[in-house]
């Protein structure tokens, strides 16, 4: 199967088969700007940002455009790779829980994967074949049909993710879950310029103490830690994937005092920025 792509009026969705021959293409820069979903059988090894995963059974992985993906090893079976942009699927009228900023891409466990049951494997196998047939048919209604298949995949995967990663108590606190997603979306948008809980409390029109109480009910890290962790994650990405100096990274992340930023980085990682870069790149 070659790459099958829908592209119209800035809306893009593509479907690609995954095997050993395709790993270099998937790891390259061509898909960096897209939201990505990987369906991988057993025997694959991949890295998402700084976490490594090995598939013991068919598994779905979900990645946002700003995340780094590297397929390190392909298994014997073939998988599928879906890539799409926000214009194709992520508008506000879509259900928030299964949109691109929902549980699968921005969740309280920082876990971007869903392991699949036999029933889910059978369902997705049929769904991928339906998508391929729809591309081959190339009917005028193809865009809406393919979007429908994508939403089915996201709904099924969201249900499975909640079963695997959330306790019953947390699942019942739907309003707090939605608040967490809203908070982390704001952090993702503003972390370079807004560094305190009070900054985000202003966005949300509530007291910083209220935010802390909501996080405590979900037994999450303190909101200040969520903000700092997002900043440090971006610093790690820039240290590993660019040639920017630690001072330049500090300025890029909104810190006018590079020495303060270096101390923050060391307190969160146990290493200086230069030590982290040297250790990671070998």
């Amino acid at each position: 199967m070659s790459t099958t792509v829908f592209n119209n009026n800035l809306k893009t969705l593509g479907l690609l088969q995954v095997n050993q021959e395709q790993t270099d293409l998937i790891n390259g820069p061509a898909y960096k700007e897209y939201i990505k979903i990987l369906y991988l059988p057993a025997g694959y090894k991949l890295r998402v940002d700084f976490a490594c995963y090995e598939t013991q059974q068919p598994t779905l992985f979900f990645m946002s455009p700003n995340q780094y993906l590297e397929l390190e090893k392909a298994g014997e079976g073939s998988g599928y790779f879906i890539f799409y942009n926000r214009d194709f699927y992520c508008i506000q009228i879509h259900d928030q829980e299964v949109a691109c900023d929902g549980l699968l891409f921005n969740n309280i466990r920082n876990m971007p994967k869903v392991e699949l049951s036999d029933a889910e494997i059978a369902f997705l196998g049929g769904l991928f074949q339906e998508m391929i047939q729809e591309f081959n048919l190339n009917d005028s209604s193809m865009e809406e049909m393919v979007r429908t298949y994508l939403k089915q995949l996201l709904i099924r995967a969201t249900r499975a993710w909640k079963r695997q990663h959330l306790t019953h108590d947390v699942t019942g606190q739907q309003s707090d879950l939605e608040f967490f997603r809203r908070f982390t979306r704001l952090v993702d948008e503003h972390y370079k310029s807004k560094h305190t809980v009070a900054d985000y409390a202003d966005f949300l029109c509530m007291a910083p103490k209220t935010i802390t109480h909501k996080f405590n009910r979900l037994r999450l890290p303190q909101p200040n830690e969520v903000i700092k962790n997002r900043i440090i994650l971006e610093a790690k990405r820039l240290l590993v994937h660019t040639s920017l100096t630690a001072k330049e990274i500090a300025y890029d992340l909104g810190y006018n005092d590079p020495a303060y930023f270096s101390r923050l980085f060391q307190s969160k990682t146990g290493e200086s920025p230069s030590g982290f870069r040297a250790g990671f790149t070998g």
Side-chain angles (χ1 to χ4, degrees):
M1 185 185 80
S2 60
T3 307
T4 307
V5 179
F6 168 84
N7 199 331
N8 184 36
N9 295 328
L10 302 179
K11 293 177 284 190
T12 301
L13 179 139
L15 178 64
L16 176 69
Q17 196 164 41
V18 181
N19 50 42
Q20 184 62 57
E21 289 71 33
Q22 298 284 14
T23 54
D24 288 342
L25 177 63
I26 292 171
N27 291 341
Y31 305 109
K32 187 178 186 317
E33 65 184 282
Y34 295 103
I35 301 162
K36 296 171 280 289
I37 302 172
L38 271 171
Y39 171 86
L40 300 178
Y44 279 75
K45 184 177 180 180
L46 68 157
R47 180 186 298 273
V48 180
D49 279 328
F50 301 96
C52 291
Y53 304 94
E54 293 189 54
T55 57
Q56 308 298 321
Q57 64 190 80
T59 305
L60 285 169
F61 292 88
F62 302 87
M63 288 139 286
S64 300
N66 60 347
Q67 292 186 284
Y68 285 87
L69 164 68
E70 182 181 359
L71 274 174
E72 297 183 347
K73 172 191 169 188
E76 294 182 3
S78 294
Y80 292 98
F81 177 58
I82 295 176
F83 58 93
Y84 60 97
N85 61 11
R86 295 174 185 271
D87 290 310
F88 185 86
Y89 190 93
C90 200
I91 57 178
Q92 292 301 313
I93 62 171
H94 290 140
D95 182 86
Q96 292 180 341
E97 192 169 90
V98 297
C100 63
D101 53 5
L103 280 173
L104 299 171
F105 297 91
N106 191 9
N107 59 68
I108 66 175
R109 298 288 181 258
N110 195 30
M111 181 59 68
K113 72 171 186 173
V114 174
E115 294 179 334
L116 301 170
S117 66
D118 290 343
E120 289 157 349
I121 294 167
F123 172 81
L124 290 175
L127 185 143
F128 286 123
Q129 292 305 311
E130 292 287 344
M131 290 182 74
I132 293 168
Q133 291 179 27
E134 193 63 33
F135 277 114
N136 292 336
L137 183 62
N138 198 24
D139 186 78
S140 60
S141 61
M142 181 183 73
E143 177 185 345
E144 282 307 312
M145 185 63 84
V146 173
R147 187 179 289 110
T148 298
Y149 290 139
L150 175 62
K151 187 164 186 176
Q152 288 182 55
L153 184 155
L154 293 171
I155 290 172
R156 292 290 288 256
T158 298
R159 290 174 179 173
W161 189 94
K162 289 168 78 173
R163 288 196 304 270
Q164 292 172 28
H165 300 294
L166 295 184
T167 65
H168 177 73
D169 290 343
V170 172
T171 305
Q173 298 177 43
Q174 191 62 43
S175 63
D176 285 342
L177 276 174
E178 176 51 38
F179 175 81
F180 172 81
R181 289 199 295 272
R182 187 179 175 196
F183 181 86
T184 51
R185 285 198 297 269
L186 285 170
V187 172
D188 215 45
E189 291 173 17
H190 300 287
Y191 66 89
K192 289 188 177 183
S193 59
K194 306 295 183 183
H195 296 164
T196 70
V197 178
D199 290 329
Y200 295 95
D202 288 342
F203 281 126
L204 295 164
C205 300
M206 61 177 58
K209 192 181 300 183
T210 304
I211 297 176
T212 299
H213 288 333
K214 286 179 176 290
F215 274 58
N216 287 341
R217 282 200 293 269
L218 289 172
R219 295 190 290 277
L220 293 171
Q222 294 299 303
N224 184 60
E225 291 301 300
V226 173
I227 299 166
K228 294 298 186 286
N229 287 343
R230 180 64 185 89
I231 293 167
I232 296 302
L233 173 59
E234 193 65 22
K236 288 179 177 179
R237 289 171 175 167
L238 294 172
L239 286 166
V240 171
H241 300 290
T242 76
S243 58
L244 293 174
T245 66
K247 182 182 290 187
E248 289 170 330
I249 291 170
Y251 290 140
D252 183 64
L253 294 175
Y255 289 91
N256 294 323
D257 182 353
Y260 173 82
F261 173 75
S262 292
R263 291 195 298 272
L264 172 66
F265 189 93
Q266 180 136 10
S267 71
K268 297 292 291 182
T269 67
E271 299 179 277
S272 67
S274 58
F276 176 83
R277 171 176 272 164
F280 194 88
T281 58

